[in-house]
Amino acid sequence: MWNKIKQTLTAFIITGIHAYLLIFIMEWVYRGSFQEAYTWVKGFTKPFTYNFILLLLFFSVLRIFRRKIYIIASFVLTVPFIILSIASRIKLEIRGEPVIPSDLVMGAEAANMLEYFSNQVLIGLIVGIIVVIVLLAFLVYKVPNQQKRNWIQIVTAISLFLAFLFILNREIKNEDTFLKRNLNISYLAWDQKATTSQDGVIAGFVLNLKWLTLESPGNYSKQEIKRIIHSTEAPSYQDNDKPNVVVIMSEAFWDPLELKNVQFNKDPLSYFHQLQKEETSGWLTVPVFGGSTANTEFEALTGISTQFLPAGSIPYLHYVKNPLPSLPTIFRNHGYEATAIHTYHHWFYQRSSVYQNLGFDRFVSLEYIANPIPDQNFIHDKTITDEIMRKINQKSDKPQFIFAVTTQNHGPYPTVGKKENANIEVELKNGKSFSEDAENLLEVYSDNLTDVDKELKSLISQLKETKKKTIVVFFGDHLPLLGDDYKVYRQAEYYNESQDFVEYERMFSTPILIWDNYSNKKEDLKISANMIGPLLLDRVGIRGNYLTDYLLDQYKKGKLTRITRPDFLTQQKVDEKIVNEIKMLQYDMLFGNKYGIRGKKDFQPSPKYRLGYKNPKITDASVETSDGKKILVIKGEYFTGRSYVYVNDEYIERLSGNENEIRVPLPKNSSSMDIVVKVMDSNEKVLSESNTFKWEK
């Protein structure tokens, strides 16, 4: 009996050592240095103990196995923890915050962004895995296995694991627990970096598990929703000539002249600044910094503030699984045709299904753009301008609602090298100098803005010439990521990690502009992204839904202009009753029973929703000779940059093409050909295909 007790104690001491070392290695990787990990372990003993208890109890269940299987299983389960710390380090450098549970659903997006990760990191990860496998094989070979299973060890392991499940459940569901209280665990939903910095990688991750589910407000009911609606002064408008509506969310659009310590040789946004003086303009409080574009987009299209949703959640990926009331549906119900345009893959942020649930008639993604103009890693804004004007100029008896998302200005921005037409130069005014990489980052970003500015001017000029009543809303989704750890912002003394309200406003505010060719209306705005919809509908003269009506009513009464981070709402002097009512309406719309909906048409998807305008169509095919080579020329309509030719079920690589013609080498044995043009995405999924055109010699 005593031998079994000693064996059990020894086994769990080894498990404890394993847990201790794993936590230290994770913190070493996440914090970037041995010294910082050591300082955290030494200085934050209580939070370290919290991590240790969770990990020890978790790994204890493996002691039900004999020694060799225990070794294998413990190594296998160690890998995800190491990957979590590596991913958190990478995300910290890129986005300024660690990985949280909601990030795990972004598989396709994360895989697509791997190209921006350092080759050194990927190589290091591969080498590390190989070393682990070799070490594991050595231990399994050398360490003798147990002859008999130790029942005391098994009972202890099961008991500890049950304790783990009990404790984990309490830690996830309750903000105030014995462990959190006594081990100094603090949670700041709005500052994941600070939370993980103090509490550790494992604790930081666990504390966010509670947000994978969302509980309803305590007094949520049909009667409560109806009470709020009846207390809302809904707007009323006269029928009028409905204008075309163009909303442009410009990628990472911001005004670098806000860096007051930086001298620019020229204004990168000269036209935009001119419009600011003449038109409605101001600042937009956005929910994200440096990335997660879809959250600002979600707020603008639905009126729902992500500030009241789980920290780090991305509604497009987590919540928009069914039809949801939104701007596209509202405009459609008032006779508009609703089109979304984005110069990136249709699957990114699951937009192809999300846009259908939001009520768009069509989504023109990168796959359906005839001649996208490349610009470094993304697509030039001229492509967006051309697509918007194509839709505006088409013959239609319906007014247009167009929502466009650009990509040209998307990071990362190079630290070395510039475009050929680069003409922006910067320097610090405070007697200091930028580091070379920071200077290049800011100059490249500013050069991008000169192109963005030119395209905005081109669009407005073309819209003026159409003589059609049109309103344009133009805004940025978030500030740009200008180097790891806010490098440019720090060197320009724009960001100092004070975390106060003033700095919050600086880091989460982008410019917004509203232009039209019929009202001469000029306002100074300071709103949050979820207020775009209510204000736009009011300006156009269209009644919205129960959430937009409520937000507009509170705005007109001077009680609400923007929804900031929850801990700053008191500084905005937003009444707690209004906050609770917004939470109630949002819950009803996004998760609840939609008691406030007047009828199904308020959130029904468009029955004609599709990707692109139409399927490609082949009208003719012929053979030409060019430089002694025979070329198959396929003529038709709605060909795009992602249109691929198949002859007799075999793919033929295109030589050139445009919207009406694709040229490919003439296949061998081509006396009889069945020709098909397929539109395919980057994952080789067929999105649509043409008729089969038969050609015979």
Side-chain angles (χ1 to χ4, degrees), residues 402-421:
I402 300 171
F403 179 75
V405 183
T406 73
T407 59
Q408 177 182 345
N409 202 30
H410 201 294
Y413 314 103
T415 56
V416 178
K418 299 178 185 177
K419 297 180 183 178
E420 290 184 3
N421 62 344

Side-chain angles (χ1 to χ4, degrees), residues 111-208:
N112 187 66
M113 299 304 286
L114 277 176
E115 61 187 280
Y116 303 115
F117 294 164
S118 162
N119 287 332
Q120 245 180 334
V121 172
L122 295 175
I123 292 170
L125 183 59
I126 293 169
V127 171
I129 291 172
I130 293 172
V131 170
V132 167
I133 292 172
V134 171
L135 180 59
L136 175 60
F138 174 78
L139 288 175
V140 170
Y141 176 73
K142 283 291 185 181
V143 175
N145 206 5
Q146 289 171 286
Q147 296 302 313
K148 293 182 180 180
R149 302 182 75 187
N150 182 339
W151 67 269
I152 296 178
Q153 183 174 311
I154 293 173
V155 170
T156 304
I158 293 173
S159 300
L160 291 176
F161 187 66
L162 290 175
F164 167 75
L165 295 177
F166 174 76
I167 291 172
L168 182 66
N169 184 59
R170 284 187 60 81
E171 295 303 304
I172 291 172
K173 291 185 176 180
N174 300 285
E175 293 184 12
D176 185 23
T177 66
F178 175 83
L179 286 179
K180 286 176 182 158
R181 199 165 49 248
N182 288 278
L183 296 177
N184 295 347
I185 296 299
S186 63
Y187 176 68
L188 300 174
W190 52 87
D191 193 347
Q192 296 297 326
K193 179 182 177 182
T195 297
T196 302
S197 179
Q198 187 209 280
D199 297 338
V201 176
I202 294 171
F205 190 85
V206 168
L207 292 173
N208 281 293

